[in-house]
Structures are given as C-alpha cells and as structure tokens.
Amino acid sequence: MKVGAPASKPGRIIVQVFLLQLLLLLQSVHSQRSQNKLNITKPGQNIPALTVQLRRVGHDTVVVDNGIVQVTFSNPEGLITGIKYHGIDNVLDDKIDDRGYWDVVWYEPEKKQKTDKLEGTKFEIITQNEEQIEISFTRTWTISRRGSLVPLNVDKRYIIRSGVSGIYMYGILERLEGWPDVDMDQIRIVFKLNPKKFDFMAISDDRQRSMPSMADRENSKSLAYKEAVLLTNPSNPMFKGEVDDKYMYSMEDKDNNVHGWISSDPPVGFWMITPSDEFRLGGPIKQDLTSHAGPITLSMFTSTHYAGKEMRMDYRNGEPWKKVFGPVLAYLNSVSPKDSTLRLWRDAKRQMAAEVKSWPYDFITSEDYPLRHQRGTLEGQFLIKDSYVSRLKIYGKFAFVGLAPIGEAGSWQTESKGYQFWTKADRRGRFIIENVRAGNYSLYAWGSGFIGDFKYEQNITITPGCEMNVGPIVYEPPRNGPTLWEIGVPDRTAGEFYIPDPYPTLMNKLYVNPLQDRFRQYGLWDRYADLYPQNDLVYTIGVSDYRSDWFFAHVARNVGNDTYQPTTWQIIFNLKSPNRFGLYTLRIALASAADSELQIRINDPKSDAIFTTGFIGKDNAIARHGIHGLYRLYSIDVAGNLLSVGDNTIFLTQTRSRTPFQGIMYDYIRLESPFRT
C-alpha cells in the first residue's frame, strides 16, 4: 500500500476499534483523576477495587498498603515510622526517631516522673483480608520491669481498610490485680510531621493559620511561662514579634473532633479525627491540646491539663483496671494544585462527620470494644425547678446530660478511669444518650444559667441492647432565698468578664479579631497591674457592669522586680433594711483556681475572714489561656448582724502571690436574702 493511500476496509475497522478503546481508556483515566482530586472517603467504602496488602513483615519492619496510603511500622515496637501518600515518601519527620508513637507519663508515688512510649515486644496479625488488615503490637508487664516501665499490659492496634485514606488506631491498656501503686498523668498519640511540607495548621473554622517552625521556637526568647516564646528571629519575617505557645491552641473536648495540618506543595492534609469522647476523661468541657508548632498533631486521651493532679489516674492497693482508648483516625487527603488548599479542611470536617455517624465501628475485632448491638440507650427530659425564677418548672434547654462512673454530684469533672457518655439536651430539655457501654453509671447534668450540679437519685444500669427512659428528671439548684444581686453569668467560664487588650509586643495575630478568643493572648494576667497600679478593683452593684468593670482573673499585682502582692477586690452594695436576725447566702462559683486561696470579709477588711477556700487549684488556666479550669461552688452564710443600713462591702482577698500565675477566675457571684414566707 502506498503512503497516503486510503486504508482497506478491514484496516479501517481495526483502527476504529483501537481509537474507540483509546478514547474509553482516556475517559476512564480522566474520571479516576477527577475522583482523586480530593480523597473523599466513607469509612471503608470508597475504592473497593483497591485491596489492602501486608507488603512486608521483616525482623524490624512491617509495611501495610491499601493503594492510597502505605504505612511502615517498627517491629515489634509498633512505632509508625513512615506514611507514604500522594507523592510524599514520608509525611512524617524522617530526620528524627520519634515520629508516630503512643506515650504515657507516669510515676510511682513520691518518685520521679517518667515517660513510657509503650513499645511492643510482640507483633501479631489480627485480621488479614482484601478489605482490612488489623495488626497488634503487645507488651506484657512483669515485676522485673518495675521502675523502668509503666505497670501496664499494652495492646496497640492499627487498622488499614480498603478505600480509607488513613489509619485507625486504638489501644487496650490493662493492669492486673495486685500490681504496684502507680500514677498516670497523660496518655496520648503523637505525630511529628514533615517540617518541610506542613506549615499551615487548622483546628477550627476560625482558628487557622500559617505556623512558625520548631527551629523558629528554638531560636526565640523564652517568656515567663515555660511553653511560651517570643519569636525574635523566625525564618519567615511575618512571625517576628509574635508569641507562640502550644496551649494557645487548646480546645474543649466537645469541640475537639478534627484538627491537623496542610502542606501546600503538594496540597495534602494530615488530620486527627476523634469520632467519640467516650474514652476521654473529665466531661465535655475538659480542655486539652490539639495541634501545635512542630508541626505536631496529638490525640490526647487523658491528661492533667486545665485540672491538675485532681485529674490524674492514681491506682492504689493493687487496684485492677482495663480500658480501650480509641479508635481514632489519622486521615490524609489531597486536592489538585489548582484548587484551594482550604478544601482540605472542609473535606476533613466531612470525613469527621462520616466517622461520627459510623460510631461505634462495626469492623473492630477486639472483644473489649462493644459493637452497636452490645450497647444501650438512655433518654429522658431534664427540667429545672427554681421558684425564685419561675413558678413553673423550666425546660433545661441545651443542658449537658451525661452518664459517667458512679460518684457524687459533679464527680464526673475529675473522673479519669472509666467511660463517659454526654449529650446536649434540646430546647425542651429532651435528651438521648446513645451507644453506651454496658455497665453501672450515675446520671449527671448541668446547664448554663443555673449554678451547681445535678445527679439522678438512682444508679443507671445499661445492658446490651437496652432502651431506657427515665422520663422527666428535675434539678433544684442551690437556693435559700431571692436574689439581691448577681455578678456574671453561671456558665462555668469567665468569658463574659472584662478581657483586656494584649500587650502589642506580646501578641498572637490569630486572636486579634475573634472576640470570643481574646483570652488566648499571652500575658493578660499582668494587665491587671496596668489597670490597677495602686488600688484594687471596686465593683458597685447597680453602677458597675461586669462586662467592662470586672477583670477576668483575680490575680496578684506585679510590683516590679519579679515581685507580686496579694490583691483584695471589693463589692459594694446597698441595703435599705437588712434582716439582722437572718442568714444571707453568698454563692461564689469559681471557673478556675491555680495555687490560690480566697478569703471573704464583710465590711471590715481587717476583721477575721468569715470564709476561706484554703489552698486550692492546680489547673493553670490563667497561664495556659484557658478561661476556665475545674468548676467549684461555695455557699457562704453571712450573718445579718454583720450588715448595715446603706452601703455594705464584701472584701474578696486572693492571698497567694509567689508567682504571676496564681489566682482564680470567677464564674458567678450571687447574694441571696434570708428566706421569707
């Protein structure tokens, strides 16, 4: 056939078939690329054609690959040493040894604190098929390891599923009866990411920013609180003069479901997703760390942050214990270079919502993790009865209602060993608590606008598959008489009080605009001395406004040369005809206390105190930008014969002044007159 001559009919058919096949192939590739522009995965269901493979099990390495992520573990320690994803050979920092690991901060009573990375001594394959691989790294404690390893049996589990762009992680920790006394302050998972890639952090819709590096922190100026630094010579000039402190990025557990980092080149996200709080401690408003400069991403299971040693897990007299922490999901996603990297945050939130909906997971194989049909449900309606507010019972709208280990009212706040299950009531106080592990619990509740804690009079026993309804439950908040006056809002935070502007030279630009986060700036405790250089705060009922005239933290005054002095605040109020034979009630709710003592005097600042809290608090919420720590409520009798016709003064003295971080935050103060029929 001559060049340029028309092809024969059979030849034309072959060419046409070839072109059609090529077109279909190109369309398939284009479709696959379009789907992969953003890794949007439903738990375990997105790309069924890709199987999970255990690629290598060596004497020191285990590699699992599902076609999306490839994860390398050290064997038998169970450390995550590498995650290969979307063109990045390792999203973790391969310049250091501790990249992806568990750890426990522990100590025997009265002995030095230690950190145990829970390294395994045995590797085992739990499940292996095309859809899922679950592997286990275990360690069994023996008395010969006393003093060197935390007395726990350890089982760290990792699950990689078909089509899921990430790693599910959970751990089963156990101590047997008769084992030595031990205290544990912290249990967590840590990921240290590739610093050359990840430089943008996102922990909520309005808390996102480019971040300084760990090298920037190391070349900075240390500030008064040890975790805080002033960036003096950062690699990126935009950070110069800013303060960075990992506690600035803390969050309440109820809001801490997803946080992480973004790499711009290539556009990749790394996220920590926590679908349930049942294995966390301290209730829904317990605060903890999230992500911070490093770049570092954390899954905090337990800690004493914003609580102090009252929150530690202490085991005495051979007490046994066992608990499942997790599963949580380390999730990775990517977008096209042409797309905004902020799509990664939106997709991480979408994935988080999918994980929450799928909880409890149906693919966990451990007998210590109950599936949905092995759990129970509790529902009811929370009402509030306060005759001085309303003759009718009030709906406990948006109240927190929860099941936690059996204890006194409010004990859930410092409970650290068991499981807790919380929900928020609707506008009519109706609530439903789903997927509760079988066991015995107390039913607790509290609501904004009312002081104190509710505990249901009967214990609650949850059995597998049960659906229990407690009906209407009624809380009567502490009350002895009508309100004479009040300061603040009973919501367990000091957020409604006056929060000053930060020092211009000690700012974090992330918190310049959002008014709700003003308290997260560094050094606000020293602004008290600027506002009250000689005399202390005086608040006059009926004249002053707590939003502008009540400083958010009752701290010591900085008088220079690293010297601080106690401060005494005054509340002035007028009584036309005091009841000299009755008892008034002063209610003081504290949102935080750190190495402090509050003393109360009436009308004479030099008289004996009618009340003292004694030495209280280790929550460090003032120094750690927390706006609240542990909640405390005091009810103080004030004899009517201490009060006078006309102006009266309550003196509140915070007596401790060794450091600038000692002090209290008030939640709410109320004076009630004697009961009158």
Side-chain angles (χ1 to χ4, degrees):
M1 183 173 65
K2 296 181 180 179
V3 175
S8 64
K9 187 173 182 180
R12 287 199 304 271
I13 293 174
I14 293 173
V15 170
Q16 289 171 350
V17 170
F18 172 76
L19 291 175
L20 178 60
Q21 291 176 333
L22 179 62
L23 178 61
L24 291 173
L25 177 63
L26 290 173
Q27 289 176 337
S28 175
V29 170
H30 176 74
S31 175
Q32 184 66 40
R33 285 180 176 175
S34 298
Q35 292 176 14
N36 289 340
K37 285 178 72 177
L38 184 59
N39 282 315
I40 297 180
T41 64
K42 296 180 180 179
Q45 298 181 9
N46 197 38
I47 311 176
L50 298 177
T51 61
V52 190
Q53 300 180 38
L54 194 60
R55 289 199 175 277
R56 185 170 72 253
V57 178
H59 73 281
D60 61 355
T61 302
V62 175
V63 179
V64 183
D65 191 332
N66 69 354
I68 306 172
V69 294
Q70 178 178 290
V71 187
T72 302
F73 304 88
S74 66
N75 185 16
E77 297 84 3
L79 308 176
I80 298 179
T81 59
I83 302 175
K84 185 176 182 179
Y85 175 75
H86 201 72
I88 302 178
D89 287 338
N90 196 353
V91 302
L92 305 182
D93 187 352
D94 55 13
K95 302 299 183 183
I96 59 176
D97 293 331
D98 53 344
R99 309 167 196 172
Y101 59 91
W102 291 66
D103 70 19
V104 173
V105 175
W106 71 284
Y107 46 93
E108 293 186 11
E110 310 303 325
K111 293 188 178 181
K112 186 177 179 181
Q113 180 176 281
K114 300 179 181 180
T115 299
D116 186 337
K117 290 191 176 176
L118 302 183
E119 295 182 354
T121 57
K122 178 184 176 182
F123 165 69
E124 182 181 359
I125 300 171
I126 304 298
T127 304
Q128 182 177 7
N129 54 51
E130 292 184 349
E131 294 296 320
Q132 174 175 315
I133 288 178
E134 178 172 351
I135 55 178
S136 165
F137 299 89
T138 59
R139 184 182 81 194
T140 302
W141 189 84
T142 61
I143 194 67
S144 64
R145 307 308 300 269
R146 182 171 184 175
S148 61
L149 296 178
V150 60
L152 291 175
N153 287 336
V154 177
D155 186 353
K156 298 184 298 184
R157 302 283 187 98
Y158 301 97
I159 300 174
I160 296 179
R161 310 199 73 211
S162 173
V164 178
S165 182
I167 315 155
Y168 292 98
M169 305 168 289
Y170 71 103
I172 306 164
L173 304 184
E174 178 184 29
R175 50 177 277 124
L176 301 183
E177 187 173 0
W179 280 9
D181 293 352
V182 68
D183 294 335
M184 292 185 285
D185 285 358
Q186 179 175 277
I187 303 174
R188 64 180 185 171
I189 297 175
V190 182
F191 284 102
K192 296 181 179 179
L193 304 181
N194 187 330
K196 294 181 180 179
K197 297 293 184 182
F198 294 91
D199 58 1
F200 188 92
M201 185 185 75
I203 58 178
S204 70
D205 286 336
D206 54 3
R207 298 172 70 189
Q208 306 179 8
R209 65 166 299 171
S210 297
M211 289 288 287
S213 66
M214 188 59 72
D216 292 336
R217 285 183 54 88
E218 292 169 351
N219 295 322
S220 61
K221 177 184 177 182
S222 298
L223 295 174
Y225 197 73
K226 61 181 180 179
E227 284 89 2
V229 298
L230 180 64
L231 301 171
T232 55
N233 190 30
S235 55
N236 188 335
M238 71 180 287
F239 301 128
K240 188 172 184 179
E242 282 201 59
V243 172
D244 184 71
D245 178 351
K246 64 183 180 180
Y247 290 103
M248 288 178 166
Y249 312 114
S250 295
M251 188 179 296
E252 293 180 346
D253 281 348
K254 65 181 176 61
D255 303 317
N256 184 6
N257 299 117
V258 58
H259 59 86
W261 289 82
I262 291 174
S263 161
S264 57
D265 185 20
V268 164
F270 184 97
W271 311 99
M272 182 60 67
I273 293 178
T274 306
S276 170
D277 288 334
E278 70 178 46
F279 42 79
R280 286 170 167 167
L281 78 173
I285 61 172
K286 166 70 168 68
Q287 298 172 93
D288 229 319
L289 298 170
T290 57
S291 292
H292 59 80
I296 294 173
T297 289
L298 304 170
S299 177
M300 301 296 300
F301 295 123
T302 75
S303 83
T304 57
H305 298 148
Y306 301 96
K309 296 299 184 182
E310 292 180 65
M311 187 66 79
R312 73 182 175 195
M313 305 168 70
D314 53 346
Y315 296 90
R316 300 291 184 270
N317 304 315
E319 177 187 356
W321 171 78
K322 191 176 189 180
K323 187 170 181 178
V324 177
F325 293 98
V328 295
L329 172 64
Y331 174 67
L332 296 97
N333 57 6
S334 63
V335 293
S336 163
K338 297 180 181 180
D339 291 325
S340 168
T341 54
L342 291 181
R343 287 189 65 197
L344 297 169
W345 167 248
R346 293 195 294 270
D347 173 60
K349 290 197 301 177
R350 180 211 57 78
Q351 185 69 31
M352 178 269 290
E355 300 297 331
V356 170
K357 186 176 181 180
S358 299
W359 186 272
Y361 297 133
D362 59 7
F363 54 84
I364 306 301
T365 56
S366 171
E367 62 181 14
D368 295 304
Y369 180 85
L371 303 178
R372 190 180 298 269
H373 71 276
Q374 297 170 307
R375 298 171 177 241
T377 299
L378 178 77
E379 61 180 305
Q381 184 179 31
F382 182 58
L383 305 174
I384 298 172
K385 181 181 179 182
D386 187 336
S387 58
Y388 290 101
V389 174
S390 172
R391 292 183 178 180
L392 302 176
K393 294 173 184 174
I394 303 168
Y395 294 132
K397 62 178 182 179
F398 310 131
F400 287 96
V401 186
L403 291 170
I406 294 171
E408 300 299 320
S411 61
W412 54 267
Q413 186 178 217
T414 53
E415 192 283 320
S416 60
K417 298 177 182 178
Y419 300 92
Q420 298 196 21
F421 303 85
W422 288 86
T423 191
K424 210 168 185 180
D426 66 13
R427 290 181 176 275
R428 300 175 70 88
R430 294 171 299 198
F431 63 88
I432 180 168
I433 307 173
E434 298 180 300
N435 299 315
V436 182
R437 285 170 164 261
N440 297 318
Y441 300 90
S442 289
L443 176 61
Y444 303 101
W446 59 275
S448 181
F450 297 90
I451 60 174
D453 282 277
F454 168 82
K455 177 192 171 184
Y456 188 55
E457 64 269 16
Q458 300 176 21
N459 293 338
I460 302 293
T461 298
I462 298 295
T463 57
C466 78
E467 296 181 0
M468 185 181 301
N469 191 325
V470 293
I473 56 177
V474 182
Y475 173 48
E476 296 188 36
R479 171 76 76 170
N480 288 336
T483 300
L484 286 175
W485 50 260
E486 58 187 351
I487 300 173
V489 177
D491 60 0
R492 302 189 178 224
T493 85
E496 70 269 28
F497 297 125
Y498 176 69
I499 299 171
D501 292 332
Y503 291 106
T505 56
L506 295 172
M507 293 178 65
N508 184 310
K509 293 177 183 176
L510 181 61
Y511 301 121
V512 171
N513 292 321
L515 295 179
Q516 70 274 16
D517 288 317
R518 288 170 58 89
F519 64 87
R520 300 188 189 277
Q521 296 282 10
Y522 177 85
L524 298 181
W525 51 84
D526 273 341
R527 292 307 313 271
Y528 179 80
D530 299 333
L531 295 169
Y532 302 95
Q534 300 295 329
N535 301 314
D536 285 322
L537 183 150
V538 177
Y539 188 94
T540 303
I541 300 298
V543 176
S544 303
D545 185 336
Y546 64 80
R547 292 166 294 187
S548 57
D549 300 320
W550 189 271
F551 197 75
F552 80 102
H554 192 164
V555 292
R557 178 186 290 102
N558 186 347
V559 294
N561 298 320
D562 294 323
T563 302
Y564 294 81
Q565 64 180 203
T567 54
T568 298
W569 292 9
Q570 299 178 44
I571 302 173
I572 299 174
F573 61 99
N574 189 275
L575 289 178
K576 294 182 178 179
S577 55
N579 183 338
R580 293 188 172 275
F581 302 101
L583 276 179
Y584 292 75
T585 305
L586 181 65
R587 311 277 187 187
I588 297 182
L590 300 184
S592 166
D595 291 329
S596 55
E597 178 188 15
L598 177 63
Q599 295 181 354
I600 307 294
R601 292 173 174 83
I602 304 295
N603 283 333
D604 182 357
K606 297 181 180 180
S607 64
D608 292 338
I610 67 166
F611 172 81
T612 178
T613 60
F615 182 70
I616 56 171
K618 289 283 186 180
D619 62 35
N620 276 342
I622 294 172
R624 290 176 170 174
H625 332 289
I627 211 59
H628 72 84
L630 294 182
Y631 176 79
R632 291 174 170 86
L633 176 63
Y634 299 98
S635 298
I636 304 156
D637 290 337
V638 179
N641 59 11
L642 294 177
L643 302 174
S644 305
V645 175
D647 284 346
N648 291 267
T649 303
I650 296 176
F651 296 92
L652 304 96
T653 302
Q654 200 295 101
T655 66
R656 308 295 175 116
S657 59
R658 183 172 46 86
T659 76
F661 312 117
Q662 293 173 283
I664 60 177
M665 295 187 203
Y666 298 95
D667 166 42
Y668 175 73
I669 302 176
R670 179 172 79 207
L671 183 66
E672 300 169 9
S673 69
F675 173 75
R676 292 192 179 108
T677 58

